[in-house]
Amino acid sequence: MRILNFGSLNIDKTYSVPHIVQEGETISSVAYQEFVGGKGLNQSIAIARAGGEVWHAGLIGEEDGSILLQALEDSGVHTEFVEKRPIASGHTIIQVDQEGRNSIIVSGGANRAIDEPFIDKVLSHFSAGDLLLLQNEVSCFSTIIDKAHNKGLIIYLNPSPMDSEVLSADLNIIDCFLINEIEGQILTGEKESTKIMEAMRSMYPKASLVLTLGAEGAYFQKDDNRFFSPSVKVHAIDTTGAGDTFCGYFIASVTKGEYIKESLRKASRAASLACTIKGASNSIPMREDID
Ligand code: RIB
């Protein structure tokens, strides 16, 4: 089974702020840094650092994208399906407060130039039984899902950021959902984690589910089986990319055939460690750090 991650690549313009700016307020940042990020890129790097083999597919800008490509290559991600276009790369404006909490504005840039010919070209290199990982920061979201399903790929969906694009896709063909509580609430209308899991099971009975609960930990659910793994308690500096780290580590571990409980445990530890360093992909730990 090969892993294809069709995902975003962003330059994260990150401002450290005393608090997340309020409506009508102007504040000064105490620091500014640029990091390599994007939910897609972060998840590919997490898979690679966890010891998995992953092919990243996505688009970057001709003039500003080399740093994104380089980061993937440095981590051992296959990049033959990352192409340059004569437009700007995706970027984000991120505020990180003193407790490590963030707020993010995404400007899609080249991530939004993904079209059917590119999707067809990439998918022609993959076949039934391969795994597609997808988030919701690229254009043609539901087209990628439909075409991958028609080819028999196994689809792991991290529907983040959640919006109407996700809700209008055919989610019945998803094999595994990786969601947080907010996404679970939007998908099911339920608020409490147990209720979210019950609702996901009755809405999508064929799918497995990973439900992350931030600092608390994460659940895995498939049919009658449910496991929980608590987070490792850390002093959070910056939570950006922690969810992506979890997804990447979990997928790398399960596709290597490791037990679900062990995969959850590794993913939780990796995500906790990612919160102790500022930035996105640069904060993803190596597997030696987890061991
Ligand atoms: O999940 C974190 C990521 O979300 C950041 O790296 C940023 O690029 C946004 O896509």
Side-chain angles (χ1 to χ4, degrees):
M1 170 199 285
R2 297 197 303 158
I3 303 174
L4 165 65
N5 182 10
F6 227 117
S8 59
L9 309 97
N10 293 331
I11 296 166
D12 290 343
K13 298 171 184 280
T14 305
Y15 299 81
S16 300
V17 290
H19 60 264
I20 305 295
V21 70
Q22 305 294 299
E23 184 184 338
E25 187 186 25
T26 302
I27 56 172
S28 294
S29 68
V30 292
Y32 171 74
Q33 281 172 285
E34 287 192 8
F35 294 105
V36 167
K39 293 184 193 306
L41 176 147
N42 295 340
Q43 293 182 21
S44 281
I45 288 183
I47 292 171
R49 290 192 181 167
E53 190 171 19
V54 56
W55 281 257
H56 191 94
L59 299 178
I60 54 178
E62 246 163 35
E63 287 190 5
D64 60 359
S66 298
I67 188 175
L68 301 167
L69 186 60
Q70 191 63 48
L72 289 173
E73 285 172 356
D74 288 348
S75 289
V77 176
H78 294 279
T79 57
E80 56 262 43
F81 307 122
V82 178
E83 294 187 5
K84 291 189 171 171
R85 295 287 186 269
I87 47 176
S89 295
H91 81 264
T92 59
I93 305 287
I94 303 184
Q95 299 177 54
V96 180
D97 74 8
Q98 288 172 330
E99 272 75 49
R101 294 173 297 217
N102 64 35
S103 78
I104 304 179
I105 299 172
V106 183
S107 172
N111 298 309
R112 309 291 316 170
I114 287 176
D115 55 14
E116 283 205 49
F118 180 66
I119 297 166
D120 290 338
K121 185 165 101 179
V122 171
L123 287 178
S124 71
H125 295 270
F126 293 85
S127 49
D130 288 337
L131 186 154
L132 170 79
L133 170 61
L134 184 67
Q135 314 77 28
N136 183 29
E137 278 188 340
V138 294
S139 50
C140 292
F141 173 83
S142 54
T143 308
I144 297 171
I145 293 178
D146 293 341
K147 284 180 183 280
H149 176 72
N150 290 341
K151 284 204 79 167
L153 273 73
I154 299 159
I155 304 176
Y156 276 49
L157 177 65
N158 171 225
S160 183
M162 176 65 81
D163 64 15
S164 56
E165 188 74 37
V166 173
L167 300 175
S168 60
D170 182 5
L171 299 180
N172 295 305
I173 56 180
I174 302 302
D175 296 281
C176 179
F177 291 92
L178 302 118
I179 58 175
N180 61 27
E181 257 180 319
I182 311 266
E183 290 150 2
Q185 282 176 22
I186 297 170
L187 283 171
T188 65
E190 298 290 350
K191 284 207 163 64
E192 202 258 313
S193 55
T194 314
K195 291 239 160 58
I196 291 172
M197 287 188 281
E198 283 165 7
M200 286 295 288
R201 191 177 165 197
S202 68
M203 289 165 73
Y204 308 108
K206 286 184 287 187
S208 51
L209 169 71
V210 176
L211 177 65
T212 58
L213 307 176
E216 273 179 56
Y219 279 103
F220 173 86
Q221 169 177 277
K222 174 73 179 144
D223 303 327
D224 286 334
N225 300 309
R226 195 179 281 174
F227 305 112
F228 178 74
S229 179
S231 292
V232 181
K233 300 293 169 218
V234 291
H235 175 63
I237 304 286
D238 181 357
T239 55
T240 310
D244 301 329
T245 303
F246 187 101
C247 288
Y249 261 83
F250 180 79
I251 290 168
S253 184
V254 289
T255 53
K256 277 191 275 176
E258 293 175 353
Y259 288 119
I260 293 290
K261 273 187 181 170
E262 177 62 5
S263 303
L264 271 187
R265 196 179 69 91
K266 277 188 182 169
S268 294
R269 296 181 77 148
S272 294
L273 276 181
C275 296
T276 63
I277 296 172
K278 212 170 157 191
S281 62
N282 60 296
S283 70
I284 299 169
M286 303 293 180
R287 62 182 177 283
E288 302 79 56
D289 302 325
I290 305 306
D291 295 338

